[in-house]
Amino acid sequence: MLNQSRILIMILYLLVCNRQVFSQCSPRQEIWDSLKKIEENTIAPDAENLKQLKKLHQAYLKCYPPSDSIYARIVHRIGGIYSKTGETETAIQFTKEAVSVNLRGTKGTDRSFLANSYFNLSTFYSQLYLYEDSHKALDECIAISRQFPAKYFLTTMAFEQKSYAFFQTGDYQKSIETADAGILFAKAIGDPIAEASLLSQKAQAQVELDDLQKAEENIKKTITIFSGDAYYTDRLATSYSVYAQLLTTRRDFRSAIIYYKKSFALNETSANWVQCSRDMLNLGYLYDYHLHDTSNALLCYKKGLTMVDKSNDDYQRSGLYINMGVLFWRQKDYEQALQYYQKALNALPIHFADQSIKNNPTVTMLMLVSNDYFVSTLLANKAEAFLDLYKIKKNKDLLHAALSTYQLADKAVDLMRWKQYGEQSKLFWRGKTKKMYENAIEACYLANDVNLAFFFMEKSRAVLLNDNLNELGASAKLPPAEIQKDQEYRVKVITAQQKWAASTLDKNESDKNQAKLLQAKAEFENYIRSLEKKYPAYYQYKYTADVPSLKDLQTYLSERKASFVHYFINDSVTYILGITPENARLTKLSKKQFDPAKLGDFVRICSEKQALINNYGSFATLSYDLQKTLFQPLQLPRGKVIICSDGFLVPFEALSKDPQGRQPLLGDHIFDYVYSAGYLLKNLAAAPSEGNFIGFAPVHFQPYLQVADLKKAGSSLQEAAAFYSSSKVFTGDESTKNNFVNYITGYSIVNVFSHASAEASNSEPLLFMQDSVIRLSELQLSRNLATRLVVLSACETNVGKNATGEGIYSLARGFTSAGIPSIAATLWKADEQAIYDISIIFHKYLAQGLPKDEALQKAKLDFIACNSLEKSLPYYWANMILIGNADPVELNSPNTGWIIGLGLVALVVFTVVIYRKKAKTSSSKKPSF
């Protein structure tokens, strides 16, 4: 009994003790109420709120498992306060904890609050310049917040923040596309304020891309909306700043100054120190660059630095130092400029503290930079200052410092390009880097360094084309299922693009199609990112930035007994690098020595038959002048010459060796044209071919296409096909877009006798089939091609928009991007019969196994020899040129197996017959005894 009494007492004691323990735990509702009070107490200092939140955190963990929405919200708020105190990494840790809880989806969690946590994470990553992680967090925020009406405000904010992040990294096209996606969502939910904020961000990117009319429409709309409510002061300030940028671009400097000052005043009122410093940076640049007001510019920059000290924005501080360096560079104080450029490098968050102007960060350090266009511009400025200082002091160390800095700037350009997904943004920055490469080549010229000059010339052109071809090669390293999926995404994007372009005037329909296009692009980009992570070999191959060495090219030339010429042409200067298997020589021409406008004049007069006939004397003089300036000084041997031109295509074979225009270079040289030496040397894999030749000649076209019939196209195509042992021809109604897409991949040579359109105003060049058109963008869908040569016997197949640093976006380039190594294409509207005749003779020589460039040269010479004097005009024969690899096309031999077999049978039969005859003769002549 005693023992039982003791046990009972002990049980009662434990129950009482446990009750006391339980009584120390606050109910969840009480903790929730305390949390709400802290959230609503905006007056209390952050330190006090953080202290209270930590107490709640400890109390919660003491009594409850960390697995519901209350706990997630506590750590979310703690993370938010740590970010304000500058402890961003700690902020990320707490916020990630909030995400992990609500992601479980168990009872008591709140999926909708994930949107808040992801939005905060994106902000914290952005503060650390981890833009890729920031984009991912924003994508998650958008995906979740769209599911909950109460979180729609976060959706539009996430679109705006993502658009701005793209803007900061120079990807202006993606900035606009992201803003558009947000605008469509804001319209759908009826939120005009969110729509206006996104329009403001879109306008900012449009100003950079020089789309000023649309930018002005958008920014004026936002100013009108935000001016009516003091609550939107910060947004109104941003709109004023964007409008000031637009006005600066339009050279309305007085109005721009007014709006920059308006923006600064509003930002100062709201203590937005980062934006204050940006206003001062932009205003200072206006004073310096446009008004040459050095004193006011310096005042703005110094004021901007005081604002940066309050915000601690490393990139903004670096930007101000850069602009101060530019200011002193304009004053020709190059040493002072270099000091400020070095300060700008030291200010970047890349752990580079070396203050010696001759030293630069390492490539590894550059990889820590999230704003690559920013640092590439800084390095290009620094290199230019070294170059200018060398011209004064003639110190070779300064020249070498310039060259090493240009090489590092080129690396930064590569890093920037790899991070950008928008083609327009890439083209924009290719244009911006043109001047950098010009200066780098000048430094090579002064240093007499032809090897480095060749490197910079290669890096100055067709880089995006090389990226496309790298991606094709990288795709071969993927499993078949991934290749198929990649193709499906590409088809989806191009289809959506065309559907949106063809939208009617119905605004709702256009908005829907635009939304589908933006969604298709986003899905494709996410898929590409996943490939880059899953398949390292794909990533490495796709992003290789190697260019061939000059020695590699000379080995290639030696094997083919050829020469190579690199032309780098700008408004004020032209550089020519002539390369033979043994030597390389860099030449410089001033604008006085050579005016690039003459190239356009030459092609223009070549392409107009009557003008050529009426003004042949002027043409002959121009032709001789160009030959004497651009070609003769190179002293190249007779034979093959590969021309790598810079943003222009001129038929060099039509240049004349005499002032009367009677001796075109066609007789002495065999010309081929390439986008770059790297493109020429690239080994483009080919699938096995089904046949040697396939041709398309629509002859007549559907009425809605509004193009003339080509009555002789069918018979001419049949004549060309007759030279090949294995051929397929589609003429008339069979020459459809569907047959073209389905069949071209399996044949070594493709020939099209049709119409093409490539006016500079068109969005993209078109190739006409009987029932439809094939667009330049659609050519990118072709994969696993056996095709080695495409002959485009149509008008203007080598014409299109000229993208600085990339060349002409033509149908020929489209086929090249698809991985076809050689294209024969036209430069102007062809004479129909002449182009047919030359194409037929061209195929005759190709079928005989001649190299492509020799076959085309012989075809032109034969055409001239067999025709009237008029047909010797370049208008008729100089139109078609060869682009790419000039080696012979390897053709399938005809199937002679049955002939060999029949021969063997005949041989056996013949042997048996002879044997029997001999045996019979022997038996008839038996000896007698």
Side-chain angles (χ1 to χ4, degrees):
M1 289 292 295
L2 181 62
N3 289 339
Q4 288 178 349
S5 298
R6 285 179 177 176
I7 291 170
L8 182 61
I9 291 169
M10 289 176 68
I11 290 171
L12 290 171
Y13 175 76
L14 288 172
L15 286 171
V16 170
C17 288
N18 278 342
R19 186 176 179 183
Q20 288 175 348
V21 171
F22 290 143
S23 67
Q24 293 175 5
C25 290
S26 303
R28 280 188 169 90
Q29 185 61 45
E30 189 175 315
I31 294 176
W32 171 254
D33 292 340
S34 298
L35 175 60
K36 293 295 288 180
K37 286 181 181 178
I38 295 171
E39 289 179 340
E40 292 165 3
N41 188 6
T42 57
I43 301 174
D46 289 333
E48 179 60 30
N49 280 338
L50 182 60
K51 182 179 178 182
Q52 295 300 321
L53 284 168
K54 283 184 174 180
K55 282 184 179 180
L56 279 184
H57 184 240
Q58 292 170 359
Y60 197 92
L61 286 177
K62 186 176 181 181
C63 301
Y64 307 107
S67 59
D68 67 3
S69 61
I70 298 175
Y71 175 77
R73 193 147 174 159
I74 291 170
V75 292
H76 171 92
R77 295 302 177 195
I78 291 174
I81 293 180
Y82 270 122
S83 76
K84 292 180 181 178
T85 61
E87 298 176 73
T88 310
E89 291 183 17
T90 306
I92 289 172
Q93 291 173 3
F94 275 99
T95 311
K96 278 187 171 181
E97 176 70 7
V99 168
S100 68
V101 171
N102 281 323
L103 268 179
R104 293 170 192 164
T106 55
K107 186 178 179 181
T109 58
D110 182 2
R111 178 171 173 78
S112 73
F113 200 74
L114 279 168
N116 299 65
S117 297
Y118 277 124
F119 186 86
N120 278 14
L121 270 180
S122 74
T123 304
F124 305 156
Y125 284 132
S126 182
Q127 289 169 356
L128 296 176
Y129 312 110
L130 301 172
Y131 289 118
E132 186 174 350
D133 291 320
S134 178
H135 286 324
K136 289 177 185 175
L138 287 170
D139 287 340
E140 294 289 349
C141 174
I142 291 168
I144 292 167
S145 60
R146 294 180 83 139
Q147 301 171 26
F148 303 95
K151 302 293 182 180
Y152 283 170
F153 73 97
L154 281 173
T155 311
T156 56
M157 288 173 62
F159 274 123
E160 184 182 357
Q161 186 156 310
K162 190 175 180 183
S163 177
Y164 181 63
F166 279 126
F167 177 84
Q168 283 185 300
T169 54
D171 199 341
Y172 301 134
Q173 181 188 349
K174 283 300 297 176
S175 179
I176 290 170
E177 288 179 359
T178 305
D180 279 336
I183 289 166
L184 291 171
F185 183 80
K187 285 180 179 179
I189 64 173
D191 188 341
I193 298 300
E195 182 183 349
S197 299
L198 287 154
L199 278 172
S200 176
Q201 183 53 57
K202 180 180 178 179
Q204 192 172 15
Q206 286 172 323
V207 170
E208 294 295 337
L209 293 179
D210 209 30
D211 190 356
L212 301 185
Q213 183 176 346
K214 291 180 181 177
E216 185 168 21
E217 291 172 7
N218 290 332
I219 203 62
K220 283 185 173 180
K221 185 176 180 181
T222 66
I223 289 173
T224 301
I225 292 171
F226 294 139
S227 294
D229 193 332
Y231 182 77
Y232 302 115
T233 297
D234 57 334
R235 296 180 183 274
L236 180 60
T238 300
S239 297
Y240 282 157
S241 179
V242 174
Y243 192 41
Q245 287 175 264
L246 186 150
L247 291 166
T248 302
T249 307
R250 286 214 167 128
R251 305 189 65 80
D252 184 355
F253 304 128
R254 180 172 296 184
S255 298
I257 291 169
I258 291 170
Y259 276 96
Y260 274 132
K261 288 182 176 179
K262 280 186 174 185
S263 175
F264 180 85
L266 291 176
N267 284 317
E268 191 175 31
T269 300
S270 58
N272 188 347
W273 307 122
V274 173
Q275 193 58 49
C276 278
S277 65
R278 288 184 186 133
D279 290 333
M280 288 298 102
L281 183 148
N282 291 329
L283 182 55
Y285 187 77
L286 187 159
Y287 277 125
D288 177 36
Y289 183 78
H290 295 290
L291 301 178
H292 310 296
D293 185 343
T294 305
S295 57
N296 267 322
L298 275 175
L299 285 173
C300 288
Y301 293 149
K302 289 176 180 178
K303 193 171 184 179
L305 286 171
T306 63
M307 301 293 121
V308 168
D309 289 338
K310 297 180 181 181
S311 65
N312 202 30
D313 187 310
D314 294 330
Y315 280 104
Q316 197 59 31
R317 179 178 285 107
S318 181
L320 285 159
Y321 283 140
I322 291 173
N323 278 22
M324 293 173 85
V326 171
L327 182 147
F328 286 107
W329 174 81
R330 290 191 213 288
Q331 301 297 313
K332 301 189 185 302
D333 188 346
Y334 303 126
E335 291 179 328
Q336 185 80 315
L338 284 165
Q339 292 294 337
Y340 274 105
Y341 292 146
Q342 199 68 12
K343 281 187 175 184
L345 286 169
N346 295 151
L348 290 170
I350 57 174
H351 313 297
F352 176 67
D354 195 325
Q355 296 179 13
S356 171
I357 61 171
K358 290 186 179 178
N359 294 331
N360 289 317
T362 63
V363 175
T364 305
M365 289 177 176
L366 288 190
M367 294 177 75
L368 299 173
V369 173
S370 55
N371 204 328
D372 299 295
Y373 85 88
F374 187 99
V375 76
S376 65
T377 303
L378 166 54
L379 289 167
N381 287 349
K382 181 181 176 183
E384 188 174 10
F386 273 129
L387 180 59
D388 289 333
L389 192 58
Y390 163 77
K391 291 174 185 177
I392 296 172
K393 294 194 170 184
K394 304 299 181 184
N395 183 334
K396 287 285 185 181
D397 288 343
L398 294 171
L399 189 57
H400 294 147
L403 286 170
S404 63
T405 306
Y406 277 126
Q407 287 175 283
L408 190 62
D410 172 71
K411 291 285 186 186
V413 170
D414 285 338
L415 293 170
M416 172 179 64
R417 191 177 77 256
W418 293 335
K419 292 177 184 176
Q420 293 180 340
Y421 284 85
E423 179 82 357
Q424 286 304 116
S425 294
K426 290 182 179 182
L427 287 174
F428 175 82
W429 287 109
R430 294 290 295 125
K432 288 285 187 182
T433 57
K434 173 88 174 185
K435 182 64 177 177
M436 180 189 88
Y437 287 115
E438 178 192 324
N439 291 336
I441 294 167
E442 182 184 14
C444 294
Y445 176 77
L446 293 170
N448 195 28
D449 190 335
V450 291
N451 287 283
L452 204 49
F454 174 75
F455 170 83
F456 284 124
M457 281 188 165
E458 281 291 291
K459 291 304 293 285
S460 74
R461 65 193 56 179
V463 174
L464 302 189
L465 174 62
N466 191 59
D467 287 349
N468 288 341
L469 297 175
N470 280 347
E471 192 166 349
L472 279 177
S475 296
K477 300 182 181 297
L478 297 174
E482 298 285 16
I483 295 173
Q484 177 63 29
K485 194 180 292 185
D486 176 273
Q487 183 76 347
E488 289 170 0
Y489 276 114
R490 291 177 189 276
V491 170
K492 190 175 180 181
V493 169
I494 289 175
T495 302
Q497 175 75 53
Q498 292 178 358
K499 195 169 182 180
W500 182 48
S503 294
T504 65
L505 295 176
D506 187 325
K507 192 71 170 67
N508 290 332
E509 180 190 0
S510 180
D511 285 351
K512 286 178 183 177
N513 288 334
Q514 184 186 20
K516 289 178 181 177
L517 170 61
L518 295 171
Q519 183 65 23
K521 283 187 173 183
E523 289 173 358
F524 183 41
E525 287 164 9
N526 289 334
Y527 173 68
I528 293 297
R529 289 191 187 103
S530 73
L531 291 180
E532 291 166 359
K533 289 189 175 180
K534 285 164 65 177
Y535 305 102
Y538 169 88
Y539 180 88
Q540 290 167 7
Y541 195 101
K542 178 182 174 183
Y543 290 110
T544 180
D546 296 337
V547 299
S549 67
L550 182 59
K551 186 177 179 181
D552 291 336
L553 176 61
Q554 288 178 314
T555 299
Y556 179 93
L557 297 176
S558 178
E559 292 168 354
R560 290 158 179 80
K561 295 182 175 57
S563 304
F564 187 100
V565 188
H566 248 312
Y567 289 94
F568 186 98
I569 297 179
N570 230 350
D571 289 340
S572 58
V573 66
T574 294
Y575 290 99
I576 308 172
L577 182 58
I579 305 167
T580 65
E582 300 81 20
N583 298 302
R585 178 185 172 195
L586 182 62
T587 305
K588 178 181 179 181
L589 300 175
S590 67
K591 187 168 184 177
K592 187 176 181 181
Q593 293 171 299
F594 168 67
D595 184 353
K598 290 182 178 181
L599 293 169
D601 295 338
F602 179 73
V603 174
R604 195 175 305 111
I605 195 167
C606 277
S607 65
E608 297 173 3
K609 180 177 69 173
Q610 202 56 48
L612 192 56
I613 294 171
N614 295 342
N615 303 285
Y616 193 79
S618 299
F619 164 77
T621 301
L622 177 59
S623 176
Y624 175 65
D625 181 48
L626 289 173
Q627 189 275 146
K628 192 171 61 173
T629 307
L630 295 178
F631 194 77
Q632 182 181 310
L634 301 175
Q635 299 180 344
L636 301 177
R638 288 171 64 97
K640 293 175 180 283
V641 180
I642 303 167
I643 301 291
C644 185
S645 56
D646 179 32
F648 71 93
L649 274 173
V650 169
F652 273 71
E653 46 267 72
L655 300 182
S656 178
K657 295 193 298 178
D658 70 298
Q660 291 75 39
R662 295 171 184 166
Q663 300 179 57
L665 292 177
L666 177 70
D668 293 336
H669 297 282
I670 304 164
F671 287 98
D672 180 22
Y673 301 82
V674 295
Y675 296 105
S676 68
Y679 154 71
L680 179 67
L681 271 60
K682 193 175 289 292
N683 184 20
L684 299 172
S689 66
E690 301 170 20
N692 292 324
F693 178 92
I694 188 169
F696 298 85
V699 182
H700 55 269
F701 301 83
Q702 290 295 323
Y704 83 92
L705 295 174
Q706 298 182 341
V707 291
D709 289 350
L710 298 171
K711 296 179 181 179
K712 297 181 180 179
S715 58
S716 298
L717 186 64
Q718 295 284 2
E719 196 174 342
F723 294 112
Y724 299 95
S725 60
S726 174
S727 64
K728 192 176 189 68
V729 172
F730 291 98
T731 62
D733 293 344
E734 291 184 335
S735 188
T736 63
K737 178 177 179 178
N738 192 50
N739 280 339
F740 183 88
V741 171
N742 290 336
Y743 285 98
I744 63 163
T745 58
Y747 288 80
S748 299
I749 298 175
V750 177
N751 200 138
V752 182
F753 282 4
S754 185
H755 290 290
S757 175
E759 296 294 334
S761 58
N762 282 356
S763 57
E764 56 182 338
L766 309 174
L767 182 63
F768 288 82
M769 290 291 109
Q770 190 275 337
D771 61 335
S772 186
V773 295
I774 297 166
R775 300 174 186 276
L776 175 63
S777 57
E778 292 176 297
L779 299 176
Q780 310 306 310
L781 298 177
S782 301
R783 290 289 187 272
N784 199 31
L785 297 169
T787 313
R788 300 290 84 194
L789 169 66
V790 172
V791 182
L792 296 170
S793 304
C795 301
E796 300 181 321
T797 51
N798 228 336
V799 179
K801 291 183 179 179
N802 185 14
T804 304
E806 280 301 305
I808 297 168
Y809 271 62
S810 62
L811 282 168
R813 183 188 170 105
F815 281 105
T816 303
S817 296
I820 297 170
S822 308
I823 316 292
T826 55
L827 295 171
W828 54 79
K829 290 183 178 179
D831 176 84
E832 184 179 342
Q833 190 58 54
I835 203 70
Y836 293 162
D837 291 346
I838 290 173
S839 297
I840 291 167
I841 307 169
F842 182 33
H843 285 294
K844 180 183 77 171
Y845 288 123
L846 286 171
Q848 292 175 7
L850 265 67
K852 306 180 196 83
D853 54 351
E854 289 183 38
L856 186 55
Q857 183 215 30
K858 280 182 172 290
K860 292 178 178 181
L861 290 171
D862 285 3
F863 173 82
I864 294 170
C866 296
N867 280 285
S868 64
L869 183 61
E870 181 184 316
K871 295 293 179 70
S872 66
L873 293 173
Y875 166 77
Y876 290 98
W877 57 264
N879 188 11
M880 181 175 282
I881 63 171
L882 180 73
I883 301 174
N885 183 293
D887 294 342
V889 180
E890 293 185 12
L891 301 173
N892 297 332
S893 300
N895 188 2
T896 57
W898 68 274
I899 299 175
I900 295 170
L902 186 60
L904 289 172
V905 170
L907 182 61
V908 170
V909 171
F910 178 75
T911 304
V912 170
V913 170
I914 295 299
Y915 176 78
R916 286 179 177 175
K917 281 184 178 181
K918 285 183 177 181
K920 189 174 181 180
T921 302
S922 299
S923 63
S924 64
K925 294 183 179 180
K926 292 181 180 178
S928 59
F929 297 97

